[in-house]
Amino acid sequence: MPLPDTVALVLQGGGALGSFQGGVIEELAVTGIEVDWVAGISIGAVNAALFAGNPPEKRLEAIHGFWDKVTSALPEFLPPMSDHAREITHAWAASAVMFGGVPGFFSPRPIPPAFATPGTPEALSFYDTTPLRETLDQMIDWDLLNTGPVRLSVGAVNLQSGNFRYFDTRDERIDARHIMASGALPPGLPPVEIDGCWYWDGGLVSNTPLTHVLDRQEAEMLVFQVDLFPAANDLPRTMTDVMGREKEIRFSSRTRAISDERLRLRNAREKVRRLLDRLPEHIADEPEVQAVRELVTEYPVNIVQLIYRANAWEGGSRDFEFSTRTMHEHWEAGRSAVAETMANSRLIAQNILDGNTAAFDLTQR
């Protein structure tokens, strides 16, 4: 596939489902696609930081290391089983996380928040994320992340103002606080303080950083958008299905709405550009016309959507079920999504060559 000037990797939030993104990253490396810009929300911010904060030859080792660590408390030891039995073990594994936390990520607070001093992090969350800070500092070269060739952007929401904020290595230095802020999902995880402001998980406002990437686009671009929750799915049949479907709609609706709205806007601008090209020369040179042309001028972008579609046994707890077996399955699903997309990439390649803009989901089922 021919590559444009910029290749961006956009990583959605979704907790334990983030291992799907690890598989995507590995398969992109196998296909020889080099990423210039990685942007993430929540667990996507963690994977993005591991990507940007390690040299190419150590990148996969770091991402594998993170996911091996956070799933180490629930090793893979059960034989293959039916969907019904798998659903039971899935729920058990999620319960184990709820009561015991996740190694290298978060641990239960010894004192319940109701008994902690009001206003302290201990009073505002059920878990302590100190382990995550230690893990990030061990696995990420912050100097490389901030000065290296891969641009990084992560999003969080200001707890007091409710405004969304992107932290971008083009604008400022990023450290563990910014990554943790992007994934500080209440009430489980505590808010993170950065320069006197307190931040929560960016997924509360938008679960995808696609808007930031498109707003800051500076050249022709190919975007791999990795979504951990599908917008469309079957009708639920059980309460477990209801819980899972509710999360899918809540976390995917903004993602799909943003993608659709941006493409509609780009199509409208294209029509305006065509109209301007038909104006007589004496009108086309008018300052007002030139100003309009500048407003509608943009670089083409092709968005490839790689969407995780849950197994029948995965319900509402899929985003906090950190077992080794499930992690491996999510990882392989990510690899398969990229491989399937590359096998059907002729249309994307032609779009890039022709300078067109479009969005593709080549793995629909």
Side-chain angles (χ1 to χ4, degrees), residues 109-129:
R109 296 194 181 280
I111 300 175
F115 298 100
T117 303
T120 63
E122 291 77 10
L124 302 177
S125 62
F126 292 105
Y127 300 96
D128 177 17
T129 51

PDB file of all heavy atoms in Angstrom, residues 109-129:
ATOM      1  N   ARG A 109      -8.023   0.365  47.601  1.00  0.00           N
ATOM      2  CA  ARG A 109      -7.619   1.165  48.762  1.00  0.00           C
ATOM      3  C   ARG A 109      -7.968   0.411  50.044  1.00  0.00           C
ATOM      4  O   ARG A 109      -9.056  -0.167  50.156  1.00  0.00           O
ATOM      5  CB  ARG A 109      -8.319   2.515  48.733  1.00  0.00           C
ATOM      6  CG  ARG A 109      -7.925   3.372  47.524  1.00  0.00           C
ATOM      7  CD  ARG A 109      -8.369   4.803  47.714  1.00  0.00           C
ATOM      8  NE  ARG A 109      -8.016   5.631  46.545  1.00  0.00           N
ATOM      9  CZ  ARG A 109      -6.812   6.133  46.313  1.00  0.00           C
ATOM     10  NH1 ARG A 109      -5.833   5.884  47.173  1.00  0.00           N
ATOM     11  NH2 ARG A 109      -6.584   6.868  45.238  1.00  0.00           N
ATOM     12  N   PRO A 110      -7.069   0.403  51.026  1.00  0.00           N
ATOM     13  CA  PRO A 110      -7.346  -0.320  52.275  1.00  0.00           C
ATOM     14  C   PRO A 110      -8.502   0.284  53.062  1.00  0.00           C
ATOM     15  O   PRO A 110      -9.166  -0.417  53.827  1.00  0.00           O
ATOM     16  CB  PRO A 110      -6.023  -0.227  53.035  1.00  0.00           C
ATOM     17  CG  PRO A 110      -5.313   0.956  52.441  1.00  0.00           C
ATOM     18  CD  PRO A 110      -5.722   0.999  51.013  1.00  0.00           C
ATOM     19  N   ILE A 111      -8.708   1.599  52.882  1.00  0.00           N
ATOM     20  CA  ILE A 111      -9.804   2.269  53.584  1.00  0.00           C
ATOM     21  C   ILE A 111     -10.834   2.717  52.549  1.00  0.00           C
ATOM     22  O   ILE A 111     -10.485   3.384  51.568  1.00  0.00           O
ATOM     23  CB  ILE A 111      -9.284   3.493  54.364  1.00  0.00           C
ATOM     24  CG1 ILE A 111      -8.257   3.055  55.395  1.00  0.00           C
ATOM     25  CG2 ILE A 111     -10.440   4.239  55.031  1.00  0.00           C
ATOM     26  CD1 ILE A 111      -7.606   4.215  56.135  1.00  0.00           C
ATOM     27  N   PRO A 112     -12.115   2.355  52.709  1.00  0.00           N
ATOM     28  CA  PRO A 112     -13.146   2.773  51.750  1.00  0.00           C
ATOM     29  C   PRO A 112     -13.202   4.294  51.632  1.00  0.00           C
ATOM     30  O   PRO A 112     -12.946   5.019  52.607  1.00  0.00           O
ATOM     31  CB  PRO A 112     -14.431   2.216  52.361  1.00  0.00           C
ATOM     32  CG  PRO A 112     -13.988   1.083  53.227  1.00  0.00           C
ATOM     33  CD  PRO A 112     -12.658   1.498  53.772  1.00  0.00           C
ATOM     34  N   PRO A 113     -13.523   4.824  50.453  1.00  0.00           N
ATOM     35  CA  PRO A 113     -13.568   6.276  50.245  1.00  0.00           C
ATOM     36  C   PRO A 113     -14.469   7.012  51.234  1.00  0.00           C
ATOM     37  O   PRO A 113     -14.183   8.158  51.603  1.00  0.00           O
ATOM     38  CB  PRO A 113     -14.102   6.407  48.820  1.00  0.00           C
ATOM     39  CG  PRO A 113     -13.695   5.142  48.153  1.00  0.00           C
ATOM     40  CD  PRO A 113     -13.783   4.092  49.213  1.00  0.00           C
ATOM     41  N   ALA A 114     -15.540   6.360  51.684  1.00  0.00           N
ATOM     42  CA  ALA A 114     -16.475   7.022  52.602  1.00  0.00           C
ATOM     43  C   ALA A 114     -15.814   7.384  53.931  1.00  0.00           C
ATOM     44  O   ALA A 114     -16.286   8.296  54.639  1.00  0.00           O
ATOM     45  CB  ALA A 114     -17.684   6.122  52.858  1.00  0.00           C
ATOM     46  N   PHE A 115     -14.716   6.706  54.281  1.00  0.00           N
ATOM     47  CA  PHE A 115     -14.054   6.960  55.554  1.00  0.00           C
ATOM     48  C   PHE A 115     -12.773   7.787  55.387  1.00  0.00           C
ATOM     49  O   PHE A 115     -12.073   8.043  56.358  1.00  0.00           O
ATOM     50  CB  PHE A 115     -13.727   5.634  56.251  1.00  0.00           C
ATOM     51  CG  PHE A 115     -14.938   4.814  56.577  1.00  0.00           C
ATOM     52  CD1 PHE A 115     -15.311   3.750  55.768  1.00  0.00           C
ATOM     53  CD2 PHE A 115     -15.727   5.118  57.673  1.00  0.00           C
ATOM     54  CE1 PHE A 115     -16.430   2.989  56.059  1.00  0.00           C
ATOM     55  CE2 PHE A 115     -16.854   4.372  57.971  1.00  0.00           C
ATOM     56  CZ  PHE A 115     -17.214   3.309  57.157  1.00  0.00           C
ATOM     57  N   ALA A 116     -12.470   8.201  54.168  1.00  0.00           N
ATOM     58  CA  ALA A 116     -11.275   8.998  53.912  1.00  0.00           C
ATOM     59  C   ALA A 116     -11.567  10.482  54.074  1.00  0.00           C
ATOM     60  O   ALA A 116     -12.726  10.908  54.119  1.00  0.00           O
ATOM     61  CB  ALA A 116     -10.756   8.723  52.500  1.00  0.00           C
ATOM     62  N   THR A 117     -10.525  11.276  54.191  1.00  0.00           N
ATOM     63  CA  THR A 117     -10.687  12.722  54.345  1.00  0.00           C
ATOM     64  C   THR A 117     -11.264  13.324  53.068  1.00  0.00           C
ATOM     65  O   THR A 117     -10.713  13.126  51.979  1.00  0.00           O
ATOM     66  CB  THR A 117      -9.329  13.389  54.626  1.00  0.00           C
ATOM     67  OG1 THR A 117      -8.746  12.789  55.790  1.00  0.00           O
ATOM     68  CG2 THR A 117      -9.501  14.881  54.837  1.00  0.00           C
ATOM     69  N   PRO A 118     -12.401  14.028  53.153  1.00  0.00           N
ATOM     70  CA  PRO A 118     -13.024  14.606  51.956  1.00  0.00           C
ATOM     71  C   PRO A 118     -12.036  15.471  51.173  1.00  0.00           C
ATOM     72  O   PRO A 118     -11.241  16.216  51.746  1.00  0.00           O
ATOM     73  CB  PRO A 118     -14.159  15.447  52.525  1.00  0.00           C
ATOM     74  CG  PRO A 118     -14.518  14.781  53.814  1.00  0.00           C
ATOM     75  CD  PRO A 118     -13.206  14.291  54.365  1.00  0.00           C
ATOM     76  N   GLY A 119     -12.087  15.345  49.840  1.00  0.00           N
ATOM     77  CA  GLY A 119     -11.229  16.147  48.983  1.00  0.00           C
ATOM     78  C   GLY A 119      -9.915  15.507  48.626  1.00  0.00           C
ATOM     79  O   GLY A 119      -9.223  15.968  47.713  1.00  0.00           O
ATOM     80  N   THR A 120      -9.542  14.426  49.313  1.00  0.00           N
ATOM     81  CA  THR A 120      -8.292  13.737  49.010  1.00  0.00           C
ATOM     82  C   THR A 120      -8.544  12.694  47.919  1.00  0.00           C
ATOM     83  O   THR A 120      -9.678  12.247  47.719  1.00  0.00           O
ATOM     84  CB  THR A 120      -7.730  13.032  50.248  1.00  0.00           C
ATOM     85  OG1 THR A 120      -8.674  12.017  50.672  1.00  0.00           O
ATOM     86  CG2 THR A 120      -7.523  14.023  51.377  1.00  0.00           C
ATOM     87  N   PRO A 121      -7.489  12.274  47.197  1.00  0.00           N
ATOM     88  CA  PRO A 121      -7.666  11.210  46.195  1.00  0.00           C
ATOM     89  C   PRO A 121      -8.271   9.945  46.789  1.00  0.00           C
ATOM     90  O   PRO A 121      -9.038   9.246  46.124  1.00  0.00           O
ATOM     91  CB  PRO A 121      -6.244  10.957  45.690  1.00  0.00           C
ATOM     92  CG  PRO A 121      -5.538  12.266  45.903  1.00  0.00           C
ATOM     93  CD  PRO A 121      -6.116  12.811  47.183  1.00  0.00           C
ATOM     94  N   GLU A 122      -7.933   9.675  48.063  1.00  0.00           N
ATOM     95  CA  GLU A 122      -8.465   8.482  48.728  1.00  0.00           C
ATOM     96  C   GLU A 122      -9.984   8.544  48.875  1.00  0.00           C
ATOM     97  O   GLU A 122     -10.649   7.505  48.916  1.00  0.00           O
ATOM     98  CB  GLU A 122      -7.824   8.310  50.101  1.00  0.00           C
ATOM     99  CG  GLU A 122      -6.349   7.940  50.080  1.00  0.00           C
ATOM    100  CD  GLU A 122      -5.442   9.129  49.758  1.00  0.00           C
ATOM    101  OE1 GLU A 122      -5.937  10.272  49.743  1.00  0.00           O
ATOM    102  OE2 GLU A 122      -4.238   8.897  49.529  1.00  0.00           O
ATOM    103  N   ALA A 123     -10.527   9.757  48.968  1.00  0.00           N
ATOM    104  CA  ALA A 123     -11.973   9.922  49.115  1.00  0.00           C
ATOM    105  C   ALA A 123     -12.697   9.963  47.772  1.00  0.00           C
ATOM    106  O   ALA A 123     -13.926   9.934  47.736  1.00  0.00           O
ATOM    107  CB  ALA A 123     -12.273  11.212  49.888  1.00  0.00           C
ATOM    108  N   LEU A 124     -11.941  10.033  46.675  1.00  0.00           N
ATOM    109  CA  LEU A 124     -12.549  10.238  45.356  1.00  0.00           C
ATOM    110  C   LEU A 124     -12.441   9.032  44.442  1.00  0.00           C
ATOM    111  O   LEU A 124     -12.820   9.119  43.265  1.00  0.00           O
ATOM    112  CB  LEU A 124     -11.888  11.452  44.677  1.00  0.00           C
ATOM    113  CG  LEU A 124     -11.975  12.776  45.443  1.00  0.00           C
ATOM    114  CD1 LEU A 124     -11.224  13.863  44.689  1.00  0.00           C
ATOM    115  CD2 LEU A 124     -13.432  13.179  45.657  1.00  0.00           C
ATOM    116  N   SER A 125     -11.941   7.906  44.970  1.00  0.00           N
ATOM    117  CA  SER A 125     -11.791   6.730  44.109  1.00  0.00           C
ATOM    118  C   SER A 125     -11.679   5.474  44.956  1.00  0.00           C
ATOM    119  O   SER A 125     -11.296   5.520  46.121  1.00  0.00           O
ATOM    120  CB  SER A 125     -10.549   6.868  43.225  1.00  0.00           C
ATOM    121  OG  SER A 125      -9.384   6.938  44.024  1.00  0.00           O
ATOM    122  N   PHE A 126     -12.009   4.349  44.326  1.00  0.00           N
ATOM    123  CA  PHE A 126     -11.929   3.067  45.013  1.00  0.00           C
ATOM    124  C   PHE A 126     -10.551   2.418  44.901  1.00  0.00           C
ATOM    125  O   PHE A 126     -10.219   1.530  45.672  1.00  0.00           O
ATOM    126  CB  PHE A 126     -12.984   2.109  44.448  1.00  0.00           C
ATOM    127  CG  PHE A 126     -14.394   2.512  44.770  1.00  0.00           C
ATOM    128  CD1 PHE A 126     -15.208   3.076  43.800  1.00  0.00           C
ATOM    129  CD2 PHE A 126     -14.912   2.337  46.043  1.00  0.00           C
ATOM    130  CE1 PHE A 126     -16.502   3.443  44.090  1.00  0.00           C
ATOM    131  CE2 PHE A 126     -16.217   2.695  46.353  1.00  0.00           C
ATOM    132  CZ  PHE A 126     -17.012   3.255  45.371  1.00  0.00           C
ATOM    133  N   TYR A 127      -9.750   2.877  43.927  1.00  0.00           N
ATOM    134  CA  TYR A 127      -8.464   2.238  43.691  1.00  0.00           C
ATOM    135  C   TYR A 127      -7.334   3.265  43.684  1.00  0.00           C
ATOM    136  O   TYR A 127      -7.534   4.443  43.386  1.00  0.00           O
ATOM    137  CB  TYR A 127      -8.470   1.480  42.351  1.00  0.00           C
ATOM    138  CG  TYR A 127      -9.510   0.398  42.281  1.00  0.00           C
ATOM    139  CD1 TYR A 127     -10.755   0.642  41.697  1.00  0.00           C
ATOM    140  CD2 TYR A 127      -9.265  -0.869  42.798  1.00  0.00           C
ATOM    141  CE1 TYR A 127     -11.725  -0.341  41.639  1.00  0.00           C
ATOM    142  CE2 TYR A 127     -10.233  -1.866  42.747  1.00  0.00           C
ATOM    143  CZ  TYR A 127     -11.465  -1.594  42.160  1.00  0.00           C
ATOM    144  OH  TYR A 127     -12.422  -2.578  42.119  1.00  0.00           O
ATOM    145  N   ASP A 128      -6.141   2.772  43.964  1.00  0.00           N
ATOM    146  CA  ASP A 128      -4.924   3.572  43.960  1.00  0.00           C
ATOM    147  C   ASP A 128      -4.144   3.255  42.674  1.00  0.00           C
ATOM    148  O   ASP A 128      -3.900   2.091  42.358  1.00  0.00           O
ATOM    149  CB  ASP A 128      -4.091   3.214  45.193  1.00  0.00           C
ATOM    150  CG  ASP A 128      -2.753   3.943  45.234  1.00  0.00           C
ATOM    151  OD1 ASP A 128      -2.588   4.947  44.507  1.00  0.00           O
ATOM    152  OD2 ASP A 128      -1.872   3.502  45.995  1.00  0.00           O
ATOM    153  N   THR A 129      -3.762   4.277  41.902  1.00  0.00           N
ATOM    154  CA  THR A 129      -3.063   4.050  40.634  1.00  0.00           C
ATOM    155  C   THR A 129      -1.551   4.293  40.734  1.00  0.00           C
ATOM    156  O   THR A 129      -0.882   4.434  39.706  1.00  0.00           O
ATOM    157  CB  THR A 129      -3.656   4.949  39.532  1.00  0.00           C
ATOM    158  OG1 THR A 129      -3.693   6.310  40.007  1.00  0.00           O
ATOM    159  CG2 THR A 129      -5.043   4.502  39.144  1.00  0.00           C
TER     160      THR A 129
END
